[in-house]
Amino acid sequence: MSAEIGHFALLLAFAVAVAQFAVPLIGASRGDPALMAFGRAAAGVHGGLILLSFLCLMAAFAGPDFSVALVAEHSHSTQPLIYRLGATWGNHEGSMLLWVLILSTFGALIAGTDSGMRESLRARVLGIQGGIGALFLAFIIFTSNPFKRLFPAPIEGSELNPLLQDPGLILHPPLLYVGYVGFSVAFAFAAAALIEGRADAHWARAVRPWVLLAWTALTAGIAAGSHWAYYTLGWGGWWFWDPVENASLMPWLVGTALLHSVSVLERRGALISWTLLLAILAFTLSLIGTFLVRSGVLTSVHAFAVDPARGIFILGMVVGQTGIAFALFAWRAPHMRSGALFGAVSRESGLVANNILLASAAATVFLGTFYPVLLDVTGGDKVSVGPPYYVITFAPIMAALLLVLAAGPMLRWRRDNWAHLWTRVRRPALVAAIAALVTVLVAGVGKLPVVAGFALAAWVLAGAVAILVHRWRLGSGEGSLVRRLRATPPSVYGLVLGHLGMGILAAGVTAASAFSTDRVATMRPGQSVAIGGVTARLDSVAPVQGPNYQAVRANFTLIHGDHARLIASERRFYPVSGTRTTAAGITDGVFGNTYVAIGDPGDGAPDGALVVRLYDHPLVGWIWAGPMLMALGGLFSLTDRRHRIGAPVRMAATSSSALMPVPA
Amino acid sequence: MKRLIFIVPLVVLAGVIVAFAAGLQRDPSILPSQLLNRPLPVFAKASVQPGQPGFGSTALRGQPALLNVWASWCGACKVEHPELMALSSAGVPIYGLVWKDTAPAAAQVLDTSGNPYRATADDADGRIGIDLGVTGAPETFVVDARGRVRYKQVGPITPEVWATTLSPLLARLRAEA
Amino acid sequence: MVRTALLLLLVVTAPAAAVLPAEQLADPVKEARARAISRDLRCVQCQNQSIDDSDAPIAHDLRVILRERISAGATDAEAQDYIVRRYGSYVLLKPPLEAATLPLWLGPAAIVGLGAVAAFVTIARRRETTPTPLTPAETARVDTLLDP
């Protein structure tokens, strides 16, 4: 019964979404308060209906109710409950339902919080959110109905892909979706601003928490996905430059640019049309990411249920949403003027440099991802664009970004000069020089990228620390250090954490790329292999029974000097789907990981022996610790009173951000 | 002039959409053959069936023929098998390269479901397949009377593929020869 | 859905990844060369993985062929070319620089350059429209005019 309720709720939600789209937009253009208020009510109902629908699907999975086709395809009674629940979004249809659930929840939040946002702005934002919701609901209802029944119902289902039966499934997709969908709010704000013909500090203050939230979730989501791949795929890779990964990286890069440009708009009333463009782009790239995965236009190791019909529908949505937004942009944006001026050396200029580099990085990823498609449809050769391309093109842009990153926050708003900047970056520059020197001594002069990588990481870390030191010194004389620590607003801590995270990420990527080593060996119990200064001894091999799999577990002792650690790697067999997975044995250390993965007994090795792959990954943990710190910084900023979702945004706009009204 | 800049995003988007829409019509996993309009690499191998003659690259000369790469472990090969049987009895010369398989397993398939091939060649280690640029089974090369590769079909030969692509091509090659 | 997409294909092709002990060359220098080449060659069956990462049978065959070439004295370029001749430049994860890939290789630098120029022009032009500050003499005159 619950499937029918869920399906019916979905259909109702579609009708409500259409109303949410049309009524408040008309209301706002007529200035009719009743019609505008309708948008808030509709957004609440819309959110409630989709929540009901989602819970119905979850209940079907929890059951498990195999008369629902989706459940029968992705669930099995031996599957642990947590993965039966996770399977709700571990498939195309359910993940789209999760997408609209987050979308409509955000809509309800915008409607429900008393933020003092201009009613006309709120009505327009809700209207556009309703429009996006209606399109996605139509997509689900017409091409990807999750509630389809099977008759006769099978007694047992086929299980969820075993690689997905992992805590990563509980974390990664929802975080990523909060990120993608969060950018839809920024998109709706941008489109509303274009319709209204004004984007001022009031607007920036209202949209900034959403951008922050989306960025924070996306940062954490990408890191979670990368870590998940690292430990499940059994060969220790953390980023593959696969189209599907690029699809999440592009919105992140543009979203990061947006996060910074919104702050310029909020503080100084500059970069208005650029900010609107970024807001539209961040969501568009999220949409194109969806298109990529589900359409079959590119080959990816992450092949989803590929269906060109869905691809055409999603393409239609891109045309319908981004096309209209860009048309609005072409029509309205030329009439919007940014009032604030700034000098060539100023905080604003630093942020402009940040934006150019981030946008170029995103464009590079876009080019690398889609150039093969472009060349193919224009009748050219088939080419592949793989990791070596990005090392040559993307890495230098990111290096330039790191260079700007440490100096930017030290610049004064409006107007500054080089001499002043130098007095403030002197110490971080010294730290960077020392880091470069040490790297040369350890690794040799020949490895320029490595030297640059560590020097830049040190430069960024020292620069972030210098911000805090400078801030605390400013108040010297008045009050204790503790008081000064307290007086520093959370958003400053957010900035510092974000930049520290970037430095840590840079160090981790540099070390893991340059100094990782691996070995593959045939081992019998009792034998040892040396890897990265550690000796790994295979102690025993034994069968293990899991809840829904059988495994062979190999126990290792890692000996490093006087220390010994025990780790185990498993090779699992899931009889229901007949698939095999590897569970790697990993020592998570601050300075690096030792990673051990076994092959199937008898596969490539004589009787009684195992093929064992051993990896030494220096500083690899920093690759995920860095983004987690960035996400933590995002959370800190969100707690800042000014950036809290629903925080009063009435605070008057400064005169410098006044806009020229659009001629009627 | 200044207004034009604001139209750029719209124009770029239009281009991207057109490219994607065109991309949807294509299968990105199919690779073009490097052998197009070039002679087959030289090989000669024994048959998978004991006592039967094998064949080599020179066998595919004199008249247009099909070189079908298959294996007993390949599911899609079973899909195209009835079509190959029909073509064979209609007189189309088909040669079977048995790719990365064991001879007895392949011979058993021919014994139980019929043999559409003029001759078979046993490429157990897959080296001929690699020389041919084979990425998976089944693949079928259309070879002209002079022994040059003129087309590569990736995936099973369905009646539709035969009617729309291979049959007209073979007719043209026969006219050439 | 990045990694949830996770790998319907990988289920078939991945987990017990890559190079097996029996494939390796005894000479560590040659083995390292073979690894380096195979890391930049795309697996033709599983797509988007290098033949070094893939455990698809054909990736195994290609790795073995690469090592045979290297053992037979081929240079890195010759060994790589052996495979490119059979499968096309498609297998190169680093696309060759040629007319058709010029936009791909020059694009990133061009975009950064264009962005920088656009920003400079915008900032410089705006500065011109800012009124130049008054000289002290002019300020004094304004003061007298406004404040008689």
Side-chain angles (χ1 to χ4, degrees):
Chain A
M1 209 24 227
S2 74
E4 281 66 35
I5 297 174
H7 193 198
F8 187 64
L10 215 52
L11 295 172
L12 268 184
F14 175 69
V16 173
V18 171
Q20 185 191 331
F21 168 60
V23 177
L25 281 178
I26 296 170
S29 71
R30 288 194 189 156
D32 182 332
L35 292 185
M36 288 197 269
F38 175 86
R40 299 177 66 169
V45 175
H46 179 187
L49 284 169
I50 290 182
L51 181 64
L52 174 66
S53 178
F54 189 82
L55 289 177
C56 285
L57 186 63
M58 238 181 173
F61 269 97
D65 178 357
F66 295 123
S67 71
V68 176
L70 197 66
V71 178
E73 284 159 22
H74 299 98
S75 197
H76 189 272
S77 53
T78 60
Q79 208 165 298
L81 178 65
I82 183 85
Y83 299 131
R84 292 212 299 273
L85 293 177
T88 311
W89 56 79
N91 58 77
H92 165 74
E93 288 83 353
S95 67
M96 292 314 299
L97 195 57
L98 177 64
W99 176 295
V100 291
L101 173 68
I102 297 170
L103 182 74
S104 61
T105 306
F106 284 178
L109 273 175
I110 296 169
T113 48
D114 181 30
S115 59
M117 203 193 306
R118 267 199 312 272
E119 264 326 301
S120 63
L121 177 62
R122 192 205 306 252
R124 288 185 167 115
V125 168
L126 286 176
I128 294 155
Q129 283 274 88
I132 297 171
L135 280 174
F136 272 99
L137 283 167
F139 176 66
I140 294 175
I141 292 165
F142 294 119
T143 76
S144 325
N145 179 8
F147 295 107
K148 214 180 281 163
R149 288 280 192 184
L150 273 184
F151 185 81
I155 297 163
E156 190 51 273
S158 45
E159 74 181 337
L160 178 71
N161 180 342
L163 279 173
L164 299 183
Q165 295 185 32
D166 183 278
L169 175 70
I170 311 302
L171 270 180
H172 167 63
L175 279 172
L176 212 57
Y177 278 24
V178 169
Y180 286 167
V181 177
F183 287 132
S184 84
V185 180
F187 173 91
F189 268 93
L194 287 166
I195 295 172
E196 293 202 321
R198 62 194 277 211
D200 47 19
H202 174 96
W203 179 89
R205 222 162 273 154
V207 75
R208 187 158 179 209
W210 293 101
V211 176
L212 251 172
L213 176 69
W215 179 88
T216 302
L218 192 58
T219 307
I222 294 173
S226 165
H227 190 235
W228 183 13
Y230 174 76
Y231 66 73
T232 32
L233 294 187
W235 79 88
W238 43 270
W239 192 261
F240 308 95
W241 293 107
D242 184 83
V244 174
E245 293 167 344
N246 294 350
S248 67
L249 183 60
M250 288 186 280
W252 187 84
L253 291 165
V254 171
T256 310
L258 175 63
L259 190 63
H260 290 86
S261 81
V262 163
S263 79
V264 177
L265 178 51
E266 184 191 352
R267 296 282 295 261
R268 302 280 308 130
L271 304 185
I272 291 170
S273 42
W274 174 247
T275 301
L276 296 177
L277 184 64
L278 287 178
I280 298 169
L281 265 180
F283 182 55
T284 301
L285 289 168
S286 304
L287 270 181
I288 289 179
T290 319
F291 167 75
L292 255 180
V293 192
R294 292 152 210 266
S295 69
V297 75
L298 283 171
T299 56
S300 157
V301 286
H302 309 271
F304 222 101
V306 162
D307 180 351
R310 286 176 190 156
I312 288 170
F313 203 112
I314 297 175
L315 214 50
M317 288 202 282
V318 175
V319 172
Q321 295 168 18
T322 310
I324 291 173
F326 277 165
L328 267 175
F329 182 80
W331 176 35
R332 295 290 221 180
H335 303 291
M336 301 170 82
R337 200 183 56 182
S338 52
L341 299 170
F342 51 86
V345 183
S346 64
R347 177 77 72 87
E348 290 92 323
S349 292
L351 287 165
V352 166
N354 146 309
N355 270 232
I356 290 171
L357 291 167
L358 282 165
S360 303
T364 301
V365 177
F366 190 88
L367 201 61
T369 310
F370 292 109
Y371 196 76
V373 181
L374 191 73
L375 202 58
D376 190 28
V377 298
T378 52
D381 284 342
K382 290 244 182 191
V383 293
S384 301
V385 177
Y389 171 81
Y390 296 100
V391 170
I392 294 169
T393 56
F394 182 81
I397 297 178
M398 289 322 265
L401 181 72
L402 293 176
L403 202 61
V404 174
L405 190 149
M410 311 208 177
L411 285 160
R412 288 198 202 104
W413 290 99
R414 302 186 78 154
R415 191 168 294 274
D416 205 337
N417 59 61
W418 292 110
H420 172 253
L421 178 62
W422 172 243
T423 60
R424 296 184 64 181
V425 300
R426 237 177 0 203
R427 284 199 183 84
L430 185 68
V431 174
I434 293 170
L437 198 68
V438 171
T439 314
V440 168
L441 290 177
V442 174
V445 199
K447 300 200 165 178
L448 183 65
V450 184
V451 175
F454 283 127
L456 284 168
W459 158 251
V460 168
L461 291 172
V465 172
I467 297 169
L468 278 187
V469 172
H470 177 76
R471 186 143 194 127
W472 293 335
R473 275 225 197 109
L474 264 188
S476 59
E478 344 159 355
S480 64
L481 181 64
V482 177
R483 203 166 140 198
R484 271 177 261 148
L485 292 180
R486 280 220 186 129
T488 307
S491 60
V492 171
Y493 287 116
L495 182 158
V496 170
L497 284 172
H499 286 195
L500 281 176
M502 225 20 221
I504 288 170
L505 172 64
V509 169
T510 306
S513 309
F515 301 123
S516 286
T517 53
D518 61 276
R519 282 192 70 174
V520 50
T522 308
M523 292 176 82
R524 290 172 191 281
Q527 289 183 329
S528 296
V529 165
I531 177 80
V534 176
T535 305
R537 187 181 69 220
L538 176 59
D539 294 327
S540 59
V541 180
V544 179
Q545 182 67 45
N548 52 345
Y549 60 84
Q550 295 132 24
V552 173
R553 174 183 292 171
N555 296 298
F556 292 86
T557 305
L558 299 183
I559 304 150
H560 178 59
D562 300 336
H563 300 276
R565 285 180 72 172
L566 299 175
I567 57 170
S569 169
E570 287 180 15
R571 193 68 184 142
R572 293 177 184 164
F573 176 66
Y574 289 77
V576 175
S577 54
T579 46
R580 289 170 197 282
T581 66
T582 305
I586 304 170
T587 61
D588 286 302
V590 177
F591 296 107
N593 295 357
T594 306
Y595 185 112
V596 179
I598 60 167
D600 280 316
D603 184 12
D607 224 23
L610 279 176
V611 170
V612 182
R613 281 160 221 288
L614 306 107
Y615 302 82
D616 176 51
H617 295 138
L619 301 194
V620 73
W622 295 29
I623 290 171
W624 307 294
M628 283 305 156
L629 216 55
M630 288 188 224
L632 189 67
L635 289 180
F636 257 90
S637 285
L638 272 172
T639 66
D640 201 313
R641 191 171 295 156
R642 286 184 307 140
H643 301 150
R644 218 173 282 158
I645 286 172
V649 290
R650 212 176 289 124
M651 287 177 254
T654 55
S655 60
S656 62
S657 56
L659 293 170
M660 214 165 82
V662 175
Chain B
M1 177 55 209
K2 199 187 166 212
R3 288 201 65 148
L4 279 182
I5 292 173
F6 291 88
I7 299 173
V8 170
L10 198 58
V11 174
V12 172
L13 179 76
V16 168
I17 296 293
V18 169
F20 282 175
L24 272 178
Q25 318 298 323
R26 290 162 177 265
D27 182 346
S29 64
I30 291 180
L31 297 185
S33 173
Q34 294 300 303
L35 288 173
L36 217 57
N37 296 321
R38 282 169 42 195
L40 278 176
V42 176
F43 65 88
K45 283 279 184 179
S47 171
V48 292
Q49 291 173 300
Q52 299 286 324
F55 72 92
S57 41
T58 49
L60 288 99
R61 291 232 177 110
Q63 63 168 325
L66 302 181
L67 174 61
N68 179 242
V69 180
W70 68 284
S72 66
W73 47 259
C74 145
C77 301
K78 291 180 178 60
V79 174
E80 71 174 358
H81 191 265
E83 180 67 14
L84 293 182
M85 290 302 287
L87 295 179
S88 170
S89 50
V92 178
I94 310 172
Y95 292 84
L97 183 73
V98 182
W99 185 59
K100 290 175 82 69
D101 202 356
T102 59
Q108 168 143 31
V109 172
L110 299 180
D111 288 343
T112 52
S113 13
N115 183 356
Y117 304 110
R118 295 264 168 108
T120 58
D122 183 7
D123 181 26
D125 63 3
R127 289 305 174 91
I128 300 168
I130 284 175
D131 283 342
L132 286 166
V134 168
T135 58
E139 284 186 12
T140 304
F141 294 84
V142 180
V143 182
D144 69 12
R146 290 167 58 194
R148 293 175 309 180
V149 173
R150 300 298 289 271
Y151 184 76
K152 177 166 95 164
Q153 163 68 24
V154 177
I157 299 177
T158 58
E160 195 201 346
V161 167
W162 172 254
T164 58
T165 317
L166 299 186
S167 174
L169 176 62
L170 272 178
R172 215 167 58 234
L173 295 183
R174 280 197 203 99
E176 252 177 42
Chain C
M1 203 62 208
V2 169
R3 231 161 289 247
T4 299
L6 245 202
L7 343 192
L8 292 187
L9 264 176
L10 277 180
V11 174
V12 189
T13 59
V19 190
L20 292 167
E23 293 174 12
Q24 292 180 306
L25 296 175
D27 179 347
V29 177
K30 285 182 176 165
E31 175 62 22
R33 280 173 54 203
R35 292 284 313 266
I37 300 170
S38 57
R39 242 177 247 133
D40 284 356
L41 285 177
R42 182 177 186 156
C43 170
V44 288
Q45 194 171 47
C46 28
Q47 317 266 357
N48 275 26
Q49 268 185 306
S50 73
I51 60 172
D52 191 54
D53 287 335
S54 171
D55 72 340
I58 194 161
H60 162 86
D61 291 355
L62 293 174
R63 284 195 302 267
V64 170
I65 285 179
L66 260 183
R67 284 170 173 77
E68 283 173 9
R69 295 283 113 201
I70 287 175
S71 300
T75 64
D76 289 3
E78 285 164 0
Q80 179 179 293
D81 192 48
Y82 185 89
I83 296 186
V84 173
R85 268 208 311 279
R86 282 155 181 78
Y87 288 96
S89 56
Y90 175 80
V91 295
L92 296 174
L93 284 171
K94 178 181 168 187
L97 181 64
E98 53 193 35
T101 57
L102 222 51
L104 178 67
W105 282 110
L106 299 185
I111 293 164
V112 175
L114 219 66
V117 168
F120 267 117
V121 168
T122 312
I123 292 173
R125 190 192 287 159
R126 282 239 210 103
R127 231 179 344 175
E128 277 162 29
T129 60
T130 338
T132 38
L134 302 178
T135 62
E138 285 169 331
T139 316
R141 253 194 87 199
V142 169
D143 284 347
T144 51
L145 285 171
L146 287 175
D147 201 17

